[in-house]
Amino acid sequence: MSNYVLDTWYPIAWSRDISRTLSARKIVEQEVVLFRTEAGGVVAMEDACPHRLLPLSMGKLKGDAIECGYHGMTYDCSGKCVRVPGQEIVPPSAIVKTYPTHENMGLVWIWMGNPTLADKSKVFDLPQYHDPAWSSAEGDALEIKANYLSLADNLCDPAHVSFVHLSTLGNAASEDIPVMHEEQDGKMLTWRWIIDAPPIPIFKKYGNFKGNVDRWHYYHYYAPSIAIIDFGSADTGTGAPEGRRDNCMQIYACHFMTPVDQETSIDHWLHVKNFPADSTLNAALSAEFRIAFAEDKAILEAIQRNETRLATRKTIKIAIDAAPRRMRRMVDGMVEKEVPAT
């Protein structure tokens, strides 16, 4: 688990997918079982009964407790065993590890590290998600057979859009535009502007632009597992680069990454946009994003296969790699600073 930050909030599931049914998940190489209490809260436990290590997700939910499917030992929401069939004495060591959880932006977040540090006010939040002037649409939980830091590389990298996403999010006008970057407190910001150029396909289709546009991409990466991409367009010459965005099309593509193991990650994505909710338009935009993110998935999985096959091969670095390299140093620094719970 060398590159996992543990003292942080990770997304583990869409809220819509956690119910009064036991749900097994894997995160930072740990197996977890999730369920909703009768009051609606989310409980997360290690997915192993301490008796014979059967996954508790193979058991039954009895009220707000899990009954193991092997011998019926039953554990309450705190992980404490409250029943051992056939005996009155409950072994004091019959305790299952539990993890703090919180819900926000349609997701269940989990804290895998020191529980005393799990400050729920630190769960990521995007103000526009709650703003009635904006609208949002949940996407998918896209499994990618690649390390989560490779996905983070991709989400710190505006340059790849010009080559990978020509049918949706990019075009050739941005190929030679330099990428800027700046490291901030716990965050990497990468950005570029493309001035007086044709709109990208998705904005050409839905933005009603009559000619060229001024287009921006701001990639906000919050270590270790969140990327918010602010991208949009306005008619050329209307002042968008100077901050006047009254008449523009703007979207936040939100990526909340779950590190499953060293070669698997899950991208929980959604989009937040500065125009009213419309189920037909939401579905159309989500379909466009699915095309784009499937393209990323194909690239990242192919890289992962070659990284495994060519494990000793040194790769070259070019200018656009500056932000991803600093991003990885940020994560390494977070890992090094962590103190295990006692």
Side-chain angles (χ1 to χ4, degrees):
M1 299 195 298
S2 60
N3 64 356
Y4 302 129
V5 179
L6 297 182
D7 289 335
T8 192
W9 289 102
Y10 284 113
I12 192 167
W14 289 108
S15 290
R16 70 195 186 210
D17 293 335
I18 304 303
S19 65
R20 293 284 297 156
T21 301
L22 298 176
S23 180
R25 293 290 193 277
K26 185 177 181 181
I27 181 169
V28 296
E29 302 180 24
Q30 304 300 305
E31 305 285 349
V32 177
V33 59
L34 303 166
F35 66 90
R36 283 197 185 277
T37 65
E38 292 177 336
V42 176
V43 175
M45 296 184 182
E46 183 179 16
D47 196 9
C49 175
H51 175 222
R52 295 286 180 84
L53 301 182
L54 181 76
L56 287 171
S57 57
M58 295 178 67
K60 297 178 182 177
L61 198 56
K62 296 288 189 74
D64 285 345
I66 298 179
E67 180 185 85
C68 178
Y70 200 9
H71 296 99
M73 294 179 68
T74 305
Y75 303 88
D76 67 14
C77 292
S78 72
K80 179 182 177 181
C81 183
V82 294
R83 178 173 181 254
V84 180
Q87 67 182 61
E88 293 184 4
I89 297 175
V90 175
S93 59
I95 297 173
V96 179
K97 185 175 183 178
T98 61
Y99 303 94
T101 65
H102 189 64
E103 292 186 81
N104 192 42
M105 293 186 66
L107 289 160
V108 176
W109 300 77
I110 191 168
W111 184 278
M112 298 299 293
N114 185 341
T116 65
L117 302 177
D119 182 351
K120 294 181 179 180
S121 71
K122 302 297 184 182
V123 172
F124 181 82
D125 188 57
L126 182 71
Q128 289 84 351
Y129 178 86
H130 310 281
D131 189 334
W134 292 66
S135 62
S136 63
E138 292 181 358
D140 305 325
L142 177 65
E143 183 179 81
I144 300 173
K145 292 297 184 180
N147 187 278
Y148 83 104
L149 292 179
S150 292
L151 176 55
D153 284 343
N154 177 272
L155 297 170
C156 288
D157 174 22
H160 82 277
V161 174
S162 306
F163 304 94
V164 179
H165 303 309
L166 292 178
S167 67
T168 52
L169 303 177
N171 59 31
S174 57
E175 286 185 8
D176 293 317
I177 304 296
V179 174
M180 311 298 289
H181 71 276
E182 177 180 288
E183 185 175 345
Q184 301 174 353
D185 185 22
K187 173 183 169 182
M188 178 63 64
L189 177 62
T190 313
W191 75 94
R192 68 177 174 182
W193 280 84
I194 298 90
I195 304 299
D196 195 10
I200 59 175
I202 196 170
F203 284 172
K204 185 175 182 179
K205 187 180 296 186
Y206 301 107
N208 298 316
F209 295 109
K210 297 178 174 59
N212 283 356
V213 298
D214 295 335
R215 172 161 55 96
W216 66 89
H217 286 106
Y218 284 88
Y219 285 49
H220 302 261
Y221 167 77
Y222 300 84
S225 66
I226 297 167
I228 309 297
I229 302 173
D230 168 10
F231 69 108
S233 295
D235 288 318
T236 293
T238 56
E242 293 75 39
R244 295 193 295 276
R245 301 187 189 177
D246 296 335
N247 191 20
C248 71
M249 185 176 188
Q250 184 175 9
I251 297 176
Y252 287 96
C254 304
H255 298 266
F256 302 108
M257 295 169 267
T258 303
V260 176
D261 55 37
Q262 288 296 314
E263 295 188 351
T264 313
S265 56
I266 296 174
D267 182 10
H268 297 87
W269 61 267
L270 61 90
H271 51 91
V272 181
K273 53 196 182 302
N274 68 337
F275 41 93
D278 177 291
S279 59
T280 300
L281 181 55
N282 282 349
L285 285 172
S286 292
E288 300 278 359
F289 285 125
R290 285 190 181 95
I291 292 170
F293 301 154
E295 292 166 339
D296 286 325
K297 173 181 166 74
I299 293 285
L300 294 171
E301 291 184 344
I303 289 172
Q304 183 69 53
R305 289 193 295 271
N306 263 355
E307 285 183 342
T308 301
R309 184 176 67 89
L310 306 171
T312 61
R313 181 76 57 86
K314 289 188 178 296
T315 58
I316 64 171
K317 305 300 181 186
I318 59 178
I320 61 169
D321 296 320
R325 287 203 307 271
R326 292 179 70 174
M327 174 275 294
R328 288 185 180 245
R329 288 198 294 269
M330 289 172 62
V331 174
D332 289 342
M334 294 174 74
V335 173
E336 291 170 2
K337 290 178 182 177
E338 286 191 344
V339 177
T342 56

